Amino acid sequence: MSDQKTGQPPNPKMIAAARMTGMGVLLIGVALAFLGMGMFMFNMGRDMSTMTKAVTQMGLDVSTMAEDMTFMAGRMEVMAESMVEGQAGMSADFNRVRVGMELMATDVRSMSENMDDLAGNIRGMAGNIGTMNSSMSQMNHSMATMTGTMGRMSVDINKFTRPESLMPMSPFR
């Protein structure tokens, strides 16, 4: 710059050096830009590759999950069929239990009626035993009366067999 003020023409070597320096800076800038762009593209490619691998793995996982869901749906169908069969079996079992309970209730009712009849028979037998006891008591009383009468008759018969005992004031009484 000082050359311009003095009016002297600039030195051609300096101009060439300045141009070379400017070109070098420009080349370095372009090289850095290309290097930055290259690094960006490299990183973006690597990220895209990683993302593609992740998406591929996700597709495989979704496919495996779909297979698992299909398998699980089949197992759930088997379980539902088993539950239907189990409920049918339980229903039949409960029906048999109900029939058994009805039979048992009938048997208990019949047993109750038989016990009632037995109680009636026992009451009748007790009444008959009471009547029999009364008859036995009357018979015992009649036997006692008959025994007393027989005793008096034997005394009277003895009197007739011994006529001396019939006389008043007899010493053989």
Side-chain angles (χ1 to χ4, degrees):
M1 290 216 184
S2 62
D3 290 341
Q4 286 180 353
K5 285 186 182 182
T6 57
Q8 293 180 350
N11 183 0
K13 283 186 180 182
M14 263 186 86
I15 292 174
R19 277 188 187 161
M20 284 302 273
T21 303
M23 276 303 242
V25 169
L26 183 64
L27 281 177
I28 289 174
V30 169
L32 286 175
F34 276 115
L35 181 65
M37 184 58 94
M39 291 295 287
F40 172 75
M41 294 299 283
F42 175 75
N43 285 332
M44 189 172 75
R46 192 176 59 187
D47 292 344
M48 290 295 282
S49 174
T50 303
M51 189 170 67
T52 302
K53 287 178 186 175
V55 168
T56 303
Q57 185 62 44
M58 189 170 63
L60 293 174
D61 291 345
V62 168
S63 176
T64 302
M65 188 171 67
E67 290 173 5
D68 291 345
M69 291 293 279
T70 302
F71 178 74
M72 187 172 67
R75 300 298 272 168
M76 286 180 76
E77 184 177 347
V78 169
M79 185 176 71
E81 290 172 0
S82 296
M83 287 177 71
V84 168
E85 290 173 5
Q87 286 177 346
M90 282 174 46
S91 178
D93 291 343
F94 280 134
N95 190 37
R96 284 197 309 270
V97 167
R98 181 188 55 80
V99 168
M101 290 295 283
E102 287 173 356
L103 288 173
M104 189 173 75
T106 302
D107 290 346
V108 167
R109 184 174 40 248
S110 176
M111 187 174 69
S112 173
E113 290 170 358
N114 290 341
M115 292 295 284
D116 188 47
D117 290 345
L118 178 67
N121 290 338
I122 289 172
R123 272 192 303 274
M125 190 170 68
N128 291 339
I129 288 173
T131 303
M132 188 175 73
N133 282 342
S134 175
S135 297
M136 290 292 285
S137 175
Q138 287 175 356
M139 188 173 74
N140 284 342
H141 182 66
S142 296
M143 290 290 285
T145 304
M146 187 174 78
T147 302
T149 304
M150 294 282 285
R152 283 190 301 275
M153 279 176 55
S154 84
V155 168
D156 290 343
I157 289 173
N158 279 337
K159 284 182 185 179
F160 286 117
T161 57
R162 293 180 41 218
E164 62 272 7
S165 63
L166 293 174
M167 293 173 62
M169 302 294 275
S170 168
F172 301 105
R173 273 193 160 197

